């Protein structure tokens, strides 16, 4: 029984670390997209500021909550995605090829 509890704890820790790393990676990928002149130039200044603010807020939250649960990290990612996904979708739709470049890109792939 003791081994099963240890395995459960280990899985919880791994899941928490994976969720934290996933959120952090997602935030830095967004940040890099904003900083990239080619792709970031397709985002309106207002949307760019909104994205930068939510990224900074999420990174600050991560610094202030280093021991959060997997569910907390997942919830924070969903909050960021609710703002970022429509902006990123518009950015790619408004890019050089317009809708032609969208191909198979849909909501389920964001």
């Amino acid at each position: 029984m003791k081994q099963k509890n240890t395995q459960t704890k280990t899985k919880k820790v791994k899941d928490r670390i994976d969720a934290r790393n996933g959120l952090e990676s997602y935030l830095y990928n967004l940040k890099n997209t904003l900083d990239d002149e080619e792709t970031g130039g397709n985002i309106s200044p207002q949307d760019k500021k909104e994205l930068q603010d939510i990224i900074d807020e999420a990174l600050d939250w991560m610094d202030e909550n280093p021991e959060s649960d997997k569910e907390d990290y997942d919830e924070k990612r969903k909050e960021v995605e609710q703002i970022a996904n429509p902006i990123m979708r518009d950015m790619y739709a408004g890019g050089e090829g317009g809708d032609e470049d969208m191909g198979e890109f849909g909501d389920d792939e964001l």
Side-chain angles (χ1 to χ4, degrees):
M1 187 71 171
K2 191 174 185 178
Q3 185 177 6
K4 187 173 183 173
N5 286 340
T6 303
Q7 288 174 341
T8 303
K9 263 187 183 173
T10 303
K11 181 171 176 13
K12 273 188 145 179
V13 170
K14 181 187 180 316
D15 289 347
R16 180 180 63 79
I17 291 170
D18 287 347
R20 179 179 172 84
N21 290 344
L23 173 59
E24 188 173 44
S25 176
Y26 176 70
L27 293 171
Y28 281 107
N29 282 334
L30 281 175
K31 195 174 185 75
N32 289 337
T33 299
L34 287 180
D35 292 342
D36 184 288
E37 289 182 27
E38 190 174 319
T39 55
N42 293 331
I43 302 174
S44 75
Q46 181 181 355
D47 285 346
K48 202 170 201 175
K49 181 178 180 351
E50 186 176 8
L51 264 179
Q52 189 62 57
D53 289 348
I54 191 72
I55 291 167
D56 291 343
E57 183 272 327
L59 289 170
D60 288 345
W61 177 87
M62 289 180 72
D63 287 343
E64 295 164 7
N65 301 282
E67 296 298 318
S68 292
D69 292 335
K70 175 192 181 309
E71 292 77 19
D72 295 330
Y73 290 120
D74 290 345
E75 186 176 316
K76 182 56 71 175
R77 182 170 176 151
K78 285 179 186 173
E79 286 176 27
V80 174
E81 287 175 342
Q82 285 180 337
I83 292 171
N85 285 353
I87 293 171
M88 299 307 284
R89 191 170 33 246
D90 290 348
M91 179 193 75
Y92 286 111
E96 289 179 15
D99 287 338
E100 295 171 17
D101 285 347
M102 292 295 281
E104 297 285 321
F105 188 76
D107 288 344
D108 60 327
E109 294 181 25
L110 290 177

